[in-house]
Amino acid sequence: MTWGCTHIHPTMVNFLMYTGILFHILAGALLWGESLTLYSWVGGLLIVLGSVALLRQ
């Protein structure tokens, strides 16, 4: 993350950091059969929407 902040705009680094959480959740569901609750989907949607709103500013 330190390298990313020195070479890429910090807003983009934060966006990728938060979307990484979603990739881990989906990997757990697809690879290990973990079940996703409605709260997981809603939380993921809020992360994506918040990150997109941050990038647009």
Side-chain angles (χ1 to χ4, degrees), residues 28-53:
L30 295 174
L31 298 175
W32 292 285
E34 296 176 352
S35 61
L36 297 177
T37 64
L38 176 63
Y39 293 115
S40 299
W41 288 108
V42 171
L45 180 64
L46 290 174
I47 290 171
V48 170
L49 292 177
S51 298
V52 169

Side-chain angles (χ1 to χ4, degrees), residues 8-34:
I8 303 171
H9 195 275
T11 305
M12 182 60 76
V13 173
N14 285 330
F15 172 75
L16 294 174
M17 186 175 71
Y18 285 121
T19 55
I21 296 168
L22 297 176
F23 291 121
H24 288 98
I25 291 171
L26 291 175
L30 295 174
L31 298 175
W32 292 285
E34 296 176 352

